[in-house]
Amino acid sequence: MGRAFLEIEDLSKDFGGLRAVNSARLTVNRHEMVGLIGPNGAGKTTLLRLITGILKPDEGFIRFKGKEIVGLKTWDIVNLGIAGTFQNMRPFRRLPIIANVMVSCLCPRAMKRGEWVKKIEAKAMDALEFAGISDMALEKAATLSQGDLKRLEVARAIATEPELLLLDEPFGGLSPAETELMAKSIQRLHQGGRFGRLHSEGPAMIIVEHKLQQLMKIVDRIIVLDFGTIIADGSPQEIVNLPEVIQAYLGQGGV
Amino acid sequence: MGLLRYYLRRFLIIVKSEVLVLPSRMVVCVFFLGLLLLPAVTQDPYLLRILILTNIFAILAASWDLLSGFTGQMNFGHALFFGVGAYTAAILNLHAHLPPWGSIPLGALAAVLAGLIIGIPCLRLKGTYLALTTLAFPIILLGIVFTIPGITGGELGVSGLARLSGSRLSDYYITVVLMLGACTLMWKITDSHTGIIFHAIREDELAVRASGINTTRYKLLAFCLSGFFAGFSGGLYAHFMRIAGPSTLEVSMSFTVVIWAVFGGIVTIYGPVGAVFILFPLLEFLRFWPEYRTLMFAVVILLILLYMPDGLFPWLRDKVETECPRCKIRNRATRKTCRVCAVPLD
């Protein structure tokens, strides 16, 4: 059996007296789509931020394609092929939407992989097209609705052409119809292929989400975090029936 | 002859389709032409002197906007770059006998080095902390200047430098052309891909890092570019005034640059340049009422900031031009429909 695509070993992170992530250990394979769930404050976002290098762990290892990435700068991690979205969206509000995506298209990884693309603008437009907001490309990002900001976050992340995509609550604040559309977009991206001038390698994904019904339809595996500790790891069907998961997160009613 | 006619026709088409369609572009062209043709109307040495200094300070103000306006790295010690450029050019001219065309670029390069030296420790700082730290650097350099009077001339500065050129008129043309060139270059930088990253760093640095961009490199680049242009203006100033003194490093110099930029409108390049062309001659004009001079200057600035918080020139531009709601192209305010997509303009 080959080495896992992403390996996390004994990863811990403390914020003062609070242990946000406690000896987390998980693996993600190349073509896997993994859901990461847990109650509020369980450490899901912290775990994603540790992987993307925004936060530095206190202990533990993270290996991506066999390479240790703890200690690398965030931009180096992105250029290795890991991209993520922010839970609380962070657009460049005073810039046009297309310029928001162009920044990602200008990273060394995207530039190298898209050498044949003459115009960065065209590639950014294709990322927006994929996310479904190309018609608003010239609007300022500050004018976007919550749902469209989520789409912009996804467009920015995929513009770096990642091999591992970390999505932090991609369905948050979306209507049921928008959620359905976003889920389809994520599945399409995961399958890979060419979207205009944008190439998708079919990235592996870790998706943090509270909308479990939609999440379970698209992921292969679910990992449950509680108080920073991984308490379950299995297929969606296995997870919903585990008593400790029901107790910690889903409540007595289940889904 | 046919080729000449072809290029003339192309030039006229560009003027008609790109310049005459927008009042702001017409004003910029008239301003450029006015500066170039002014000596044909008057060659009054006092007026030329004021305009030469205005040209030099316009480069300085635009260079502040490049760093603090576009990249958001709030620099309250911009006089450092100006002073380093001025002193380096002066010392090289006086001791190494380099002519101005050699000493001024080397002064600008010394300011780039200063940009690197202050840029590296400032990388981790933001907002108020960055502003206060940058404020300290020219004061530190001023202390060094007073410590080694043998080289820097101490409080008297380095004087007796070579003239910029042989006459006031040629000084004027040199500074006009260099100002137009430097400001156009800065505007092109801000309009490029690098400029987009500068903008994004100002908006949210963490999000830029998460987009795979090495923000450290771009912030240092902004410090160096800004330092280069400010140092260049410092060198020009030293050779025009024939002295590089401690006044080039004073706190008041740093704050004057900020006032110019905020008055004209930051994140524009043209705003600070326009502001210098209003405020610097205004201050000279107010010399006729010396007791009220500073008060009147302050009142003008406060009124502008009160009624035009984004600065004078963006306010004026919005009065004479409107943005198409669909294609975002700017149009003359009197137009009923967009000149590109024909959408009705409100």
Side-chain angles (χ1 to χ4, degrees), chain B residues 14 71 85 115 124 127 150 154-156 190 202 209 233 280 285 328:
Chain B
I14 289 171
T71 323
R124 288 171 164 271
E155 289 190 13
L156 298 174
T190 59
R202 183 195 64 230
R209 284 188 210 160
S233 66
F280 191 75
F285 177 68
K328 308 295 172 196

Side-chain angles (χ1 to χ4, degrees), chain B residues 197-226:
Chain B
I197 293 173
F198 284 172
H199 269 292
I201 288 174
R202 183 195 64 230
E203 294 285 308
D204 191 334
E205 195 180 331
L206 181 63
V208 180
R209 284 188 210 160
S211 298
I213 303 292
N214 185 340
T215 51
T216 301
R217 190 179 297 162
Y218 278 93
K219 278 160 70 177
L220 280 179
L221 178 67
F223 267 102
C224 292
L225 284 172
S226 178

